[in-house]
């Protein structure tokens, strides 16, 4: 009976490391106008802190990533600017804004967006493989650099997918 009242949700799109997905893992704290909020609780219309100030979130999407290469960043890693930052887990292809000596050494620039995998030092930033991982993607009118987990990370490059109609069982 209960299953007749609850809408059927579409299964999450599945991706693998070959597609190089990006996104934030569950529990990643994203800076908003209301303070830090876990990414899985963000909704369309929330004001997200970006390099361009507070920008309205247009939507979110979720992917189920299988056999993913991830980068684990310990809180004491030099690239994390927030003293309250927790351990971060990001897909290896997630773009991160770097504004330190690494940007100058890697590309001769004061700052740059680079895949987080380029920061691996096998001490405080290391690569691992995860069997399954949910990735939350934030969508804006234009790509943004958001503040999340003590890092500055690139948002998804596309608009949020249109909502699908929910079907009910009869």
């Amino acid at each position: 009976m209960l299953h007749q009242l609850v809408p059927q949700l579409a299964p999450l799109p599945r991706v693998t490391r070959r597609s190089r997905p990006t996104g934030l893992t569950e529990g990643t704290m994203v800076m908003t106008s209301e303070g830090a909020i876990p990414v899985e609780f963000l909704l369309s219309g929330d004001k997200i802190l970006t390099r361009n100030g507070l920008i309205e979130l247009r939507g979110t999407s979720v992917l189920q990533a299988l056999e993913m290469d991830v980068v684990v960043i310990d809180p004491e890693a030099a690239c994390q600017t927030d003293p309250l930052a927790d351990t971060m887990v990001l897909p290896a292809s997630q773009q991160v804004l770097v504004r330190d000596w690494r940007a100058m050494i890697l590309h001769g620039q004061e700052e740059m967006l680079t895949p987080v995998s380029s920061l691996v030092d096998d001490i405080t930033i290391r690569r691992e493989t995860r069997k399954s991982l949910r990735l939350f993607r934030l969508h804006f009118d234009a790509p943004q650099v958001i503040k999340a987990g003590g890092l500055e990370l690139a948002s998804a490059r596309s608009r949020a997918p249109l909502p699908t109609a929910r079907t009910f069982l009869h």
Side-chain angles (χ1 to χ4, degrees), residues 1-9 166-170:
M1 175 97 166
L2 182 60
H3 67 280
Q4 294 175 339
L5 300 174
V6 178
Q8 283 191 314
L9 299 176
R166 293 185 178 181
T167 57
F168 292 89
L169 295 176
H170 293 77

Side-chain angles (χ1 to χ4, degrees), residues 16-44:
T16 64
R17 70 178 81 175
R18 293 186 73 181
S19 61
R20 296 187 203 146
T22 61
L24 305 175
T25 56
E26 195 167 355
T28 299
M29 301 301 282
V30 177
M31 293 305 299
T32 73
S33 60
E34 305 295 320
I37 296 178
V39 67
E40 62 270 24
F41 296 116
L42 295 175
L43 300 171
S44 179

Side-chain angles (χ1 to χ4, degrees), residues 11-104:
L12 294 178
R14 292 185 177 202
V15 295
T16 64
R17 70 178 81 175
R18 293 186 73 181
S19 61
R20 296 187 203 146
T22 61
L24 305 175
T25 56
E26 195 167 355
T28 299
M29 301 301 282
V30 177
M31 293 305 299
T32 73
S33 60
E34 305 295 320
I37 296 178
V39 67
E40 62 270 24
F41 296 116
L42 295 175
L43 300 171
S44 179
D46 285 342
K47 302 286 187 193
I48 307 299
L49 182 60
T50 73
R51 292 216 39 196
N52 298 319
L54 289 171
I55 302 291
E56 185 175 332
L57 181 65
R58 294 296 183 198
T60 62
S61 58
V62 183
L63 301 173
Q64 186 70 36
L66 305 172
E67 296 298 325
M68 280 300 303
D69 288 332
V70 297
V71 173
V72 179
I73 305 173
D74 291 338
E76 63 271 8
C79 66
Q80 284 187 287
T81 57
D82 183 353
L84 301 175
D86 200 3
T87 299
M88 289 277 296
V89 177
L90 296 167
S93 54
Q94 175 64 49
Q95 297 281 309
V96 61
L97 181 70
V98 177
R99 292 189 286 167
D100 61 11
W101 58 269
R102 294 170 247 229
M104 192 56 72

